[in-house]
Amino acid sequence: MSAFKGLLKKDFGISKFWFLFWLIFLLTLLIIPLGMEIYFHMPLSFLPMAVILLLGGHVFFLPAMLLSLLHLEGKTQLWLYNPQTSKVLFLSKITVSFVYQVISQVLLTGVGLTIYQFYKNQFFIEVSTLFKGILVLNAGLLLIALYMSCWALFYWTIYHSLGKFPAVKNWRWLVVLILFFVLNTISTLIAKVEFIKEIVNKWTIPVLMNTNFNYKQGGWEINLNAAEIPLAGIIVYVITAFCLFLISCWLLDRKVEV
């Protein structure tokens, strides 16, 4: 555990300036629409949508931060000689990226709640429904980002593993691209099989996640509707993410040169 804490401290240390830059960039993206609302005297015209778009874009934040940490680590080649297992090395970076995403989402959620507090008379939604929607949205963003991070980790290790083969070293990006399309095509074809569709959709969980925004009469009307999430689909995604992580660890254990 102490070794893992040491890795966390190191990863936080090498990435804190990148994250600080991201926060400044994020605040800048919020100030611009706020300034437009003040200049045009049109409150709630730009800032709420900016918050929603930035928050939704966080499905890419965690994998992007993870890849940046892997890139920084790869410059030193230190993990090739690190006594810790590849699982610990990867988990440290995923944990750091996860913490950064939570902080970033909390910041944007706080901005959104502040807007709601100042203009709550212009938002047509029940408070209990609003907070349920906020919790589901943030949890969903984190889970999707974690899933995408496992894919990013998988393709990253595939790309660098191919570097050991001179015949494809200069074309490995093309191999990864082809692999990406092949795997997506296979998964799409499997999902279209009626027998599999029936099994996947047999058990579902109702979740408030379908959101409709309408700007009318000087305010925002927000409707949250329940969507049926396939339980079997969630299990498949969890198993897939776990397998991708294990494959990535196995490739790193073979001394991937980055």
Side-chain angles (χ1 to χ4, degrees):
M1 183 60 69
S2 59
F4 182 70
K5 289 181 179 179
L7 285 172
L8 284 177
K9 184 177 180 180
K10 176 184 71 77
D11 286 331
F12 274 119
I14 64 176
S15 60
K16 60 183 179 183
F17 291 109
W18 288 100
F19 183 62
L20 179 61
F21 174 79
W22 164 253
L23 291 180
I24 295 173
F25 178 71
L26 194 64
L27 291 174
T28 302
L29 293 179
L30 293 173
I31 292 173
I32 291 174
L34 176 61
M36 293 174 65
E37 289 187 353
I38 295 173
Y39 180 80
F40 292 108
H41 303 287
M42 297 174 61
L44 300 181
S45 299
F46 304 105
L47 188 57
M49 191 55 63
V51 172
I52 294 169
L53 291 175
L54 288 172
L55 194 57
H58 272 65
V59 293
F60 304 106
F61 176 83
L62 203 159
M65 179 59 71
L66 175 61
L67 289 175
S68 68
L69 283 171
L70 292 171
H71 178 70
L72 288 173
E73 188 78 47
K75 287 183 176 180
T76 62
Q77 297 286 319
L78 288 178
W79 57 8
L80 296 179
Y81 313 101
N82 196 304
Q84 302 303 318
T85 64
S86 57
K87 295 182 180 65
V88 175
L89 294 170
F90 280 146
L91 281 175
S92 174
K93 289 168 176 53
I94 292 175
T95 302
V96 170
S97 302
F98 183 85
V99 170
Y100 284 152
Q101 171 136 345
V102 170
I103 294 172
S104 189
Q105 286 187 206
V106 168
L107 174 62
L108 285 171
T109 302
V111 172
L113 289 175
T114 301
I115 296 171
Y116 173 78
Q117 187 63 33
F118 274 98
Y119 299 99
K120 57 185 176 182
N121 293 330
Q122 299 181 49
F123 285 95
F124 309 111
I125 185 174
E126 295 181 2
V127 176
S128 60
T129 304
L130 174 64
F131 280 97
K132 287 180 182 178
I134 289 173
L135 289 175
V136 171
L137 174 63
N138 280 283
L141 288 172
L142 285 170
L143 292 175
I144 295 172
L146 277 173
Y147 179 74
M148 293 183 64
S149 295
C150 291
W151 276 108
L153 191 64
F154 170 73
Y155 286 119
W156 183 89
T157 51
I158 290 291
Y159 175 82
H160 288 291
S161 295
L162 293 173
K164 297 191 296 184
F165 303 98
V168 296
K169 184 173 183 179
N170 295 329
W171 299 95
R172 48 188 171 163
W173 61 270
L174 182 59
V175 176
V176 172
L177 189 62
I178 293 173
L179 180 63
F180 171 80
F181 282 111
V182 169
L183 292 178
N184 276 273
T185 301
I186 293 174
S187 62
T188 301
L189 292 175
I190 292 175
K192 289 182 178 180
V193 178
E194 288 298 326
F195 173 71
I196 296 178
K197 287 172 65 176
E198 290 179 5
I199 295 177
V200 170
N201 295 318
K202 189 173 183 180
W203 300 280
T204 59
I205 304 173
V207 178
L208 283 175
M209 61 178 298
N210 281 342
T211 308
N212 297 319
F213 296 89
N214 294 309
Y215 185 74
K216 59 182 183 180
Q217 298 178 350
W220 285 89
E221 182 181 42
I222 306 175
N223 297 312
L224 292 175
N225 304 311
E228 299 295 330
I229 306 298
L231 181 60
I234 295 175
I235 296 174
V236 170
Y237 282 125
V238 171
I239 294 174
T240 301
F242 185 69
C243 291
L244 291 171
F245 179 78
L246 291 181
I247 293 172
S248 301
C249 292
W250 177 76
L251 289 171
L252 185 66
D253 284 335
R254 294 175 64 86
K255 305 303 180 184
V256 171
E257 295 182 5
V258 297

